[in-house]
Amino acid sequence: MKFGGTSVGDVEAFERVFHIVSTQLDKHPIVVVSAMTKVTDALVAAFEIAKKGDFAGAIASLEQHFERHVEVSKQFLPDDQPNLFNGELDLTRNELSDLLMRVTRRSLPLQMLKDAIVSYGEQLSSRLLAEVLKAKGVNACQVDSRRLIITDDEYGAAQPIWDETEKLVKLELEPLIAAGEVPIMGGFIAANRGGETTTLGRGGSDYSAALIAAALRAGELQIWTDVTGVMTCDPRICGEARTIPVLSYEEAAELAYFGAKVLHPKTIKPAVDHGIPVRVCNTFHPDETGTMILAESGEAPNRIKSIAHKKNITILRITSARMLGSFGFMSAVFQVFERFRTVIDVISTSEVSIALTLDNTTEIDKIVTELERLGDVEVESGYGVICVVGEGLRASTGLASTVFSTISDVNVALISHGASSVNLTFVVKEEYVSDVIKRLHKELFRN
Ligand code: ADP
Ligand code: ASP
Ligand code: MG
């Protein structure tokens, strides 16, 4: 059972989590929890403040978030006896102070320090949830995820080393479950082989939960969040969004990748590999069924499931006369992106040019300099990717035409279709994204 940040945002949220967990104790749950809402952002911000040299400002910015933890602990934990959470909080304050000081002095690599700092969100929330559940009579115990999930050294987006992780998860958790305990673990955080703290990328708690579910061959992976399942589009954009009852793994992966942040893109993979059903449920309405993600969704053709989107996208175009009839050009272009560890999202090619989109542009200047050796390069920011997803796209004609005729007055900068056969992806100027989604939603989900 994975609970996201908004599911552990305040006193009421902890109460809800207690109720949800306690109704499923017979299924021997393992709980994976995110940092309390806004805490990871606050830790990232504190790191940035310290980087600019303002140590005191960095420390001060975190106090209000510590306070939110203290409020929860005061509500549920008896104050007449020492409690493990207070000890953890004192330790956290000291350790964060030390780490932020190191940031101002650059006494360790910054990426390493950043992961160590942001990990305290999940360290605190998992300790707090474990103590709250214990106080309410659940046989809970906190388990440090960093001892179980082992990754490479890619700070900020570390890749788990599966064999080692699987072994450790089983070794550590199986005896606890056998003894009737409920392990409570922080999502998102892990460690490399040297024991240094790493993180799995923003939104990574879903991934942690999927890894643990896969290692233990769990009967089900439940993602508890603040909406009822995966919806026909982001409910923040269009009030008419509806819950999708069943999605295939492939559909869910496409949606997640193209911005439906209700699921982390990589979540799907370990679950698919081990045939574990994933259910997305609403902490605020635990009785609603939510979305089931299964190997095959078995839907009829002509059905589109959902519209995902991602903003803040940059388009890069490379044009080269040399590409005409030659080989090796694509490979030369891709090598540049590989060297600067930059992910390409959407891509479209013609005989003499390549257009592609990026959402991470930290290395863009260096990339452009390198690519200019291969051809003319153009960069334009301020775009959004829209991705229409459904098994129906595989088997039906006319859907692409419906999509584009609905938005015929909007300039489409790039289109990609056919690569996965369950998605139709295109790029428009960012200011049109909301309007395009509303119009498509109305047209495609009329019934
Ligand atoms: P958590 O903190 O539980 O991980 P997230 O904020 O990461 O929650 O994800 C839930 C949010 O995802 C929702 O509040 C919603 O605004 C957003 N979202 C985007 N696209 C979709 C979609 N297609 N269906 C449901 N939610 C979506
Ligand atoms: N707390 C982390 C984040 O905000 C991980 C997660 O919530 O999934 O990105
Ligand atoms: Mg999330």
Side-chain angles (χ1 to χ4, degrees):
M1 306 175 79
K2 178 261 173 177
F3 293 90
T6 49
S7 302
V8 287
D10 52 22
V11 167
E12 292 76 40
F14 273 75
E15 189 73 48
R16 282 191 292 270
V17 171
F18 160 67
H19 282 290
I20 293 167
V21 172
S22 56
T23 55
Q24 298 198 39
L25 289 174
D26 57 321
K27 295 183 191 157
H28 306 287
I30 291 133
V31 174
V32 173
V33 63
S34 291
M36 284 177 80
T37 175
K38 302 200 185 84
V39 169
T40 308
D41 286 341
L43 289 163
V44 171
F47 166 81
E48 294 298 335
I49 297 170
K51 216 165 97 180
K52 293 192 187 111
D54 183 4
F55 171 71
I59 291 284
S61 71
L62 292 173
E63 200 45 49
Q64 52 170 315
H65 297 284
F66 293 146
E67 257 328 294
R68 290 169 47 218
H69 290 81
V70 170
E71 245 171 66
V72 174
S73 111
K74 278 200 180 131
Q75 174 71 28
F76 296 107
L77 307 182
D79 52 5
D80 53 343
Q81 35 188 292
N83 83 51
L84 284 173
F85 176 74
N86 287 342
E88 183 100 13
L89 187 59
D90 290 342
L91 206 67
T92 298
R93 280 198 166 97
N94 288 338
E95 287 173 355
L96 274 174
S97 157
D98 176 58
L99 288 163
L100 289 165
M101 180 55 84
R102 283 175 188 276
V103 172
T104 61
R105 294 186 179 147
R106 306 284 195 275
S107 67
L108 279 169
L110 283 179
Q111 283 315 95
M112 183 193 255
L113 287 168
K114 186 176 178 183
D115 270 8
I117 288 167
V118 299
S119 75
Y120 281 93
E122 272 73 6
Q123 292 194 56
L124 282 180
S125 66
S126 57
R127 171 62 72 192
L128 184 55
L129 182 60
E131 297 314 309
V132 169
L133 292 180
K134 269 196 258 178
K136 284 173 155 296
V138 175
N139 197 3
C141 61
Q142 195 231 24
V143 176
D144 190 341
S145 309
R146 295 172 302 170
R147 287 210 318 272
L148 274 55
I149 300 183
I150 306 302
T151 69
D152 63 12
D153 299 329
E154 188 78 31
Y155 292 103
Q159 289 291 340
I161 301 165
W162 172 248
D163 293 346
E164 288 175 37
T165 299
E166 183 185 29
K167 223 181 282 164
L168 286 167
V169 167
K170 281 187 177 160
L171 196 74
E172 189 102 10
L173 295 187
E174 277 173 355
L176 292 176
I177 298 162
E181 300 206 45
V182 179
I184 313 290
M185 304 174 58
F188 177 58
I189 62 178
N192 66 13
R193 283 184 171 135
E196 292 297 339
T197 301
T198 56
T199 62
L200 305 179
R202 292 305 304 268
S205 294
D206 298 344
Y207 195 16
S208 310
L211 289 164
I212 291 160
L216 295 171
R217 312 291 190 268
E220 182 172 279
L221 167 60
Q222 299 177 353
I223 307 282
W224 289 89
T225 184
D226 62 347
V227 287
T228 303
V230 183
M231 309 187 84
T232 47
C233 73
D234 187 341
R236 288 180 209 181
I237 296 242
C238 171
E240 279 148 33
R242 280 178 258 143
T243 297
I244 307 165
V246 182
L247 271 179
S248 71
Y249 281 125
E250 208 183 337
E251 289 169 333
E254 293 289 351
L255 280 178
Y257 187 70
F258 285 107
K261 81 167 179 151
V262 63
L263 276 184
H264 189 281
K266 292 181 238 174
T267 312
I268 311 301
K269 191 70 172 74
V272 180
D273 292 348
H274 296 88
I276 295 164
V278 180
R279 198 143 65 91
V280 184
C281 321
N282 191 342
T283 322
F284 297 84
H285 302 283
D287 298 331
E288 294 179 359
T289 317
T291 301
M292 269 317 267
I293 299 165
L294 303 170
E296 305 271 331
S297 71
E299 272 292 342
N302 268 312
R303 280 290 297 278
I304 284 176
K305 290 285 183 61
S306 187
I307 309 165
H309 74 281
K310 196 146 96 174
K311 286 190 180 171
N312 207 1
I313 295 293
T314 298
I315 297 187
L316 188 149
R317 288 196 177 82
I318 314 141
T319 309
S320 168
R322 264 185 291 162
M323 192 178 170
L324 203 72
S326 69
F327 52 83
F329 179 74
M330 291 272 190
S331 144
V333 169
F334 290 144
Q335 273 171 28
V336 174
F337 287 93
E338 189 183 339
R339 211 168 318 133
F340 294 104
R341 311 186 81 77
T342 295
V343 178
I344 299 169
D345 279 343
V346 185
I347 179 156
S348 164
T349 72
S350 79
E351 186 73 21
V352 292
S353 58
I354 303 178
L356 45 85
T357 70
L358 310 170
D359 74 349
N360 173 0
T361 50
T362 32
E363 303 284 352
I364 189 93
D365 293 339
K366 291 178 209 153
I367 290 174
V368 169
T369 308
E370 293 273 313
L371 289 176
E372 275 170 345
R373 295 197 211 158
L374 302 167
D376 297 329
V377 182
E378 255 177 83
V379 178
E380 266 186 283
S381 56
Y383 284 91
V385 180
I386 294 177
C387 178
V388 177
V389 175
E391 292 279 359
L393 279 165
R394 203 193 288 273
S396 43
T397 42
L399 281 177
S401 121
T402 307
V403 167
F404 291 117
S405 56
T406 306
I407 54 158
S408 58
D409 55 329
V410 178
N411 190 313
V412 176
L414 203 154
I415 299 175
S416 155
H417 182 41
S420 91
S421 81
V422 302
N423 85 64
L424 167 63
T425 303
F426 58 93
V427 179
V428 298
K429 272 282 184 194
E430 197 165 88
E431 56 265 35
Y432 299 128
V433 168
S434 295
D435 182 50
V436 163
I437 291 176
K438 284 189 195 123
R439 279 157 66 184
L440 283 178
H441 194 272
K442 198 167 195 166
E443 178 62 31
L444 298 172
F445 298 98
R446 247 188 318 207
N447 308 314

